[in-house]
Each structure stands twice: as structure tokens, then as C-alpha cells.
Amino acid sequence: GENVEQHPSTLSVQEGDSAVIKCTYSDSASNYFPWYKQELGKRPQLIIDIRSNVGEKKDQRIAVTLNKTAKHFSLHITETQPEDSAVYFCAAKARNQFYFGTGTSLTVIP
Amino acid sequence: DAGVIQSPRHEVTEMGQEVTLRCKPISGHDYLFWYRQTMMRGLELLIYFNNNVPIDDSGMPEDRFSAKMPNASFSTLKIQPSEPRDSAVYFCASSLAGRAMNTEAFFGQGTRLTVV
């Protein structure tokens, strides 16, 4: 089955700096890659996603990149703000099943 | 649609008791997932259903865990007997496949289970 690895597990950045979270996957059948943000005590919620036929997608301060050949995908957050502090999960979808990374706890220091 | 609805939000029970968690997926979604979240293991997939049929239950920890989906709008996850190590947040999620193959999983609010 699919194996999704996520790094780093924790990340601290100064407000205004950029944050990058990286994931790798193993199953070439994976064709959809959502990213979720989970605030403390709340449910994971989708913040951005990318499909396998696209290399990059941007939504305001958030961008995702996908390298299908290397089976890498990354989340980039620019101009970070304290409200970006949360746990972020990457996921890969193969055969209608979601495989999640282990999460990155992001702290934005004011 | 109100989204994925889970109940109860919090459950505290004594070891050995039966616990039943409930989930109502988003109407029209044909996939339903049960996840367990802990600090140590992150989000673990326990079981998922397609059109009410269990497809993969390899993530269910042991025979004490069982899940059912009697119809398209309701699923239960049951733990009997419960143990302290079952304490976690249990999430239900649903998604839509078919023509719209690449759609996200929508999560419920979760049930925080504490077994004492």
C-alpha cells in the first residue's frame, strides 16, 4: 500500500518568514494530494490540494508543488502569521483511500 | 449540508464498558472513513466503507473494535470491551468518488474518548 512520509515533525518560524513542509509518497497510483490544517481541538480541514496532472498551485500565501517523477510534494506558506500556527497534514489519495503523513506542528513566533 | 456529524463529542467511560461512536456522513458521499488520532501515532485509518460496504478493515486494532454502516447516512464504531489504551480522538470522514475522482475527505468534529 501507499506510504506517506512527512518532514519536519515540528517547525518554528518568525512571523513574516516562510515555512516549507515536505512529503513523499510511494504509490504511483496516487493522483490527488490534499493538505489539511488542524487547529488545537478541532477537525482537520482542507487548505489546498493538487491533482497529479498539475505541478504547482497557489492560493494567496499558500502554494503546493508536486514532482510526480520523484514522488515529492511540498507545502509553502509565505509571510507567516500567528494564526498559521497549527498541525499540518499532507495526504495522498490512491484507489479512493487517503493516506496521511504524520503531521507537522508549525509554530509562528510573533 | 451540515457536514459530517459525529456523536458524542466527548465520552468518558470505565474500562470494560461498551462504547459506541456514531457518524452521519455528508449526503451523497459514497466513501466513509473512521480514523483514530493520538499524539504517538497520528491519524490512523481504522476502516473505510464504499456504498455502505466495508472495503478495508486492516487498520482495526483487534477484535474489540467493530464498525457497521447499515445505510448511506449512518455508521457506528463500537469498542467492546473498552481499555484505557483506546483513549484517543476518533474522527469520521466522508468523500465523494465516482466521476469526481479527486475530492477531499471531509472530517467530522471528532469524538474524544477517555477510558478510565
Side-chain angles (χ1 to χ4, degrees):
Chain A
E2 175 64 283
N3 180 41
V4 176
E5 295 190 356
Q6 182 173 348
H7 301 280
S9 57
T10 60
L11 179 61
S12 292
V13 299
Q14 290 291 137
E15 182 177 358
D17 288 350
S18 295
V20 180
I21 302 171
K22 298 183 178 182
C23 289
T24 61
Y25 63 100
S26 60
D27 191 344
S28 56
S30 290
N31 56 10
Y32 174 65
F33 306 89
W35 285 87
Y36 288 82
K37 176 182 180 182
Q38 186 179 26
E39 297 177 346
L40 190 63
K42 297 190 176 180
R43 76 181 92 186
Q45 291 194 291
L46 181 79
I47 54 171
I48 196 167
D49 57 12
I50 191 166
R51 289 164 173 74
S52 57
N53 59 347
V54 176
E56 185 173 356
K57 181 177 179 180
K58 189 173 181 180
D59 181 5
Q60 299 184 352
R61 297 185 297 107
I62 297 173
V64 290
T65 59
L66 171 65
N67 183 328
K68 284 177 57 179
T69 303
K71 295 190 177 68
H72 289 175
F73 57 117
S74 300
L75 176 72
H76 304 252
I77 307 174
T78 58
E79 301 172 24
T80 53
Q81 301 168 3
E83 52 265 38
D84 294 330
S85 296
V87 177
Y88 292 82
F89 292 94
C90 64
K93 187 179 183 182
R95 303 174 192 85
N96 287 306
Q97 184 173 346
F98 293 87
Y99 299 85
F100 284 87
T102 49
T104 297
S105 178
L106 173 65
T107 302
V108 179
I109 304 165
Chain B
D1 200 311
V4 177
I5 300 173
Q6 290 185 246
S7 64
R9 291 290 308 278
H10 303 275
E11 177 80 32
V12 180
T13 190
E14 291 186 347
M15 182 174 63
Q17 296 298 306
E18 177 180 296
V19 175
T20 300
L21 312 182
R22 296 172 176 80
C23 176
K24 181 180 186 305
I26 292 173
S27 176
H29 281 193
D30 48 4
Y31 279 82
L32 184 140
F33 307 87
W34 281 101
Y35 291 93
R36 178 172 66 177
Q37 186 175 38
T38 60
M39 288 292 293
M40 293 298 295
R41 302 170 73 100
L43 269 170
E44 300 175 273
L45 177 66
L46 301 177
I47 186 172
Y48 77 98
F49 296 83
N50 175 218
N51 292 324
N52 315 337
V53 176
I55 303 300
D56 185 352
D57 65 353
S58 59
M60 297 286 260
E62 48 199 275
D63 292 345
R64 297 184 298 106
F65 286 68
S66 62
K68 295 182 180 179
M69 193 166 185
N71 57 62
S73 59
F74 184 66
S75 177
T76 59
L77 177 68
K78 185 176 293 185
I79 308 172
Q80 165 64 17
S82 57
E83 297 182 3
R85 61 193 168 117
D86 301 331
S87 298
V89 179
Y90 291 80
F91 285 103
C92 175
S94 70
S95 73
L96 181 65
R99 286 187 179 181
M101 289 297 293
N102 295 324
T103 58
E104 70 195 89
F106 292 82
F107 283 82
Q109 294 275 35
T111 295
R112 182 174 294 278
L113 173 65
T114 303
V115 183
V116 298

